[in-house]
């Protein structure tokens, strides 16, 4: 007797079992960026508890979703996971403190999927770079000891201790250099006046500032700070916001306005005229956005692809006629447009398949990917109706192509199976793929004579070699399975073997006949 509760428990167990069957535990490995091709990352056979010998039969392989690049591969003889293409941490993860690439590890027969995460460790392969080679500062001689002048930080594409660690300012009598951290955690430098300037004594000076990272070997970058001593009072421009945010759809045409930043300056005349420039912007962002130096308008300068990046951060500096400046951050969010059709990949196919495969056999594995996001990447997959195959969804847009009925090569020897995929974007995009599948012969038909029995009437005293009759049998199987060979069965006529009276002969290109011997 089942109580409701025990039924629920059984269902729960069955469900658990099915899930475990498809997606086993995750694997995670760690690798240094920029490793040589062939460098071993780990051993998947050992870590999955699989016999090495089975890897080849189960066609083990590693795929990265949404990428044609094969960053790592599996050695089917040893089970080693190895680097097969250059992995550049900065390219994949930029400033992110942790860089994890996700792969699917696929095994067939039966289809089994493991998630594989690869933690990419930073190597100090980038030097600090200042946004410009020269920073021009115009400082009033009335500036008092302790006055601060902001210097844009050097950027280093590496992270952690491989990024900029300290700054060294060339020895000089007037300035020292301090590092400040904003409330958002961003570091910037300040030139601090330590001993007052005197324009009559010195009108300008050039100081070398060096940024060093903490990597090994250590790398550095330099900038020249060109100080021009003025004899006037001055105010720095002030932005209306410290952080601006804007949203724009991917594929927006060139020159589409994104946002306008604005800073005001309390000074009058030329000294109060504010100009804008990007003080910190990645090479990538630079190809997408332009800034009008006078109006502060940021607009689209290139083709922005959501799939390449969904968020950009740039910093804008406002500068007045004295060269005094302040900085604001601009965050630009990109929204997705349904501009990628789903792509159907045939991951595996048993072709030809023998006609006697039992219904429910896995014939192939299909994967569908759509590079868009959210509902634009939700894909429905279907197969045409009139074929004895269906798609069985597995996890993560993998499907098994499974036979649904008995196949018969003698009726249908080839199938063109069309699989269609449609996403849920608006308007939806779709694509289709045709899989050609042949059915291989099994010798499942016996030869059949055209007649149940043959009668021949002959007059006696025939000459040996004259024809009595012709018989014919057909077999619809393929090649040698359908080739019919005739032979006379033993029998007796008046006590003598039948073969002493008649023989069978295959006529060239014709059916066999019986002859008198
Ligand atoms: C399948 O497609 C191929 C190529 O388009 C064609 O030559 C073949 O006749 C088709 N077979 C069937 C069974 O429709
Ligand atoms: C004939 O049938 C056998 C199995 O019954 C199969 O293994 C073989 O490949 C077939 N031969 C051809 C030429 O299709």
């Amino acid at each position: 007797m089942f109580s409701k509760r025990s039924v629920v428990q059984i269902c729960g167990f069955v469900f658990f079992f099915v899930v475990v069957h498809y997606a086993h535990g995750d694997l995670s490995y760690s690798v240094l960026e920029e490793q040589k091709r062939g460098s071993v990352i780990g051993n998947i056979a050992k870590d999955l508890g699989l016999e090495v010998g089975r890897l080849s039969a189960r066609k083990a392989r590693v795929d990265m979703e949404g990428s044609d690049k094969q960053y790592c591969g599996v050695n089917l003889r040893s089970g080693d996971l190895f680097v097969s293409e250059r992995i550049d941490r900065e390219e994949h993860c930029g400033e992110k403190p942790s860089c994890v690439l996700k792969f699917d590890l696929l095994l067939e027969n039966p289809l089994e999927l493991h998630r594989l995460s690869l933690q990419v460790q930073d190597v100090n392969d980038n030097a600090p770079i200042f946004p410009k080679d020269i920073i021009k500062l115009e400082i009033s001689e009335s500036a008092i000891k302790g006055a601060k002048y902001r210097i844009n930080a050097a950027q280093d594409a590496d992270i952690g201790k491989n990024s900029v660690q300290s700054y060294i300012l060339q020895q000089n009598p007037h300035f020292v250099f301090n590092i400040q951290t904003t409330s958002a955690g961003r570091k910037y430098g300040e030139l601090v006046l330590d001993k007052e300037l005197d324009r009559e004594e010195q009108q300008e000076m050039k100081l070398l500032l060096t940024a060093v990272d903490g990597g090994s070997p250590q790398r550095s970058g330099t900038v020249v700070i060109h100080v021009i001593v003025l004899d006037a009072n001055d105010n720095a421009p002030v932005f209306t916001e410290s952080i601006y945010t804007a949203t724009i759809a991917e594929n927006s045409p060139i020159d589409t306005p994104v946002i306008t930043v604005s800073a005001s300056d309390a000074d009058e005349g030329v000294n109060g005229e504010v100009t804008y420039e990007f003080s910190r912007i990645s090479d990538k962002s630079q190809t997408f956005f332009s800034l009008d130096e006078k109006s502060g308008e940021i607009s689209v300068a290139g083709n922005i692809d959501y799939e390449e990046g969904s968020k950009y951060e740039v910093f804008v500096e406002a500068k007045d006629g004295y060269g005094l400046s302040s900085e604001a951050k601009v965050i630009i969010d990109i929204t997705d447009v349904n501009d990628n059709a789903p792509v159907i990949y045939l991951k595996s196919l048993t072709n030809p398949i023998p006609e006697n495969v039992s219904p429910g056999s896995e014939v192939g594995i299909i994967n569908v990917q759509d590079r868009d996001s959210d509902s634009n990447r939700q894909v429905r997959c279907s197969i045409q109706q009139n074929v004895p195959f269906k798609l069985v969804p597995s996890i993560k847009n993998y499907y098994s192509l499974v036979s649904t009925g008995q196949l018969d090569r003698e009726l249908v020897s080839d199938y063109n199976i069309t699989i269609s995929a449609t996403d849920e974007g608006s308007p939806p995009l779709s694509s289709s793929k045709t899989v050609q599948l042949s059915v291989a012969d099994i010798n499942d038909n016996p030869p059949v004579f055209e007649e149940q029995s043959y009668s021949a009437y002959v007059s006696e005293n025939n000459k040996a070699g004259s024809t009595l009759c012709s018989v014919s049998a057909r077999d619809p199987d393929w090649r040698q399975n359908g080739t019919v060979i005739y032979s006379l069965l033993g029998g007796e006529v008046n006590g003598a073997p039948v073969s002493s009276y008649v023989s069978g002969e295959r006529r060239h290109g014709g059916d066999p006949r019986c002859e008198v011997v």
Side-chain angles (χ1 to χ4, degrees), residues 355-356 409 440-444 477-482:
E355 55 179 326
N356 65 347
R409 191 204 62 86
D441 190 41
I442 293 293
N443 194 13
D444 56 354
D477 287 319
W478 181 244
R479 296 256 160 93
Q480 60 265 50
N481 291 340

Side-chain angles (χ1 to χ4, degrees), residues 245-259:
T245 54
T247 302
I248 187 154
E250 65 170 324
N251 306 339
S252 289
I254 306 251
D255 290 339
T256 306
V258 179
I259 193 169

Side-chain angles (χ1 to χ4, degrees), residues 154-166:
Q155 300 172 44
D156 189 320
D158 295 316
I159 51 161
K161 73 171 178 36
N162 292 336
S163 68
V164 178
Q165 296 299 306
S166 58

Side-chain angles (χ1 to χ4, degrees), residues 237-405:
V238 179
F239 275 102
T240 53
E241 316 267 339
S242 58
I243 298 177
Y244 294 86
T245 54
T247 302
I248 187 154
E250 65 170 324
N251 306 339
S252 289
I254 306 251
D255 290 339
T256 306
V258 179
I259 193 169
T260 301
V261 298
S262 167
S264 55
D265 192 288
D267 295 318
E268 300 211 336
V270 180
N271 294 340
E273 264 173 26
V274 177
T275 55
Y276 303 90
E277 57 188 59
F278 288 124
S279 54
R280 180 180 161 146
I281 183 167
S282 67
D283 293 348
K284 198 169 168 186
S285 308
Q286 198 135 32
T287 63
F288 296 148
F289 304 107
S290 64
L291 171 61
D292 186 301
E293 182 185 284
K294 293 234 155 58
S295 69
E297 182 179 81
I298 297 179
S299 44
V300 174
N303 183 28
I304 305 175
D305 185 3
Y306 176 87
E307 287 69 42
E308 290 286 315
S310 59
K311 188 180 197 133
Y312 294 93
E313 283 186 11
V314 299
F315 289 83
V316 177
E317 182 181 56
K319 210 174 209 177
D320 67 13
Y322 281 130
L324 288 185
S325 66
S326 59
E327 193 184 55
K329 177 176 180 172
V330 182
I331 300 173
I332 303 166
D333 285 306
I334 313 299
T335 52
D336 186 40
V337 167
N338 192 24
D339 57 350
N340 290 285
V343 186
I344 302 170
Y345 294 97
L346 182 60
K347 291 285 181 181
S348 162
L349 183 68
T350 312
N351 188 23
I353 39 164
E355 55 179 326
N356 65 347
V357 289
S358 45
S361 302
E362 183 177 278
V363 173
I365 295 170
I366 278 130
N367 179 235
V368 188
Q369 297 185 8
D370 190 305
R371 297 184 64 221
D372 293 314
S373 297
D374 302 329
S375 62
N376 292 341
R377 75 174 300 156
Q378 294 300 319
V379 178
R380 263 172 303 177
C381 219
S382 62
I383 187 170
Q384 103 229 47
Q385 288 299 313
N386 53 349
V387 288
F389 298 95
K390 65 173 176 183
L391 285 180
V392 178
S394 175
I395 55 169
K396 255 191 90 181
N397 288 346
Y398 279 90
Y399 296 83
S400 293
L401 180 63
V402 166
S403 66
T404 54

Side-chain angles (χ1 to χ4, degrees), residues 21-24 50 58 105-108 110-114:
H21 176 75
Y22 283 110
H24 292 246
L50 266 177
R58 295 196 60 190
L105 169 63
L106 204 66
L107 299 166
E108 296 180 15
L111 173 59
E112 194 179 304
L113 191 68
H114 298 268

Side-chain angles (χ1 to χ4, degrees), residues 412-417 434-437:
V412 186
S413 61
D414 285 288
Y415 289 98
N416 285 342
I417 304 171
T434 300
V435 177
Q436 276 180 288
L437 196 62

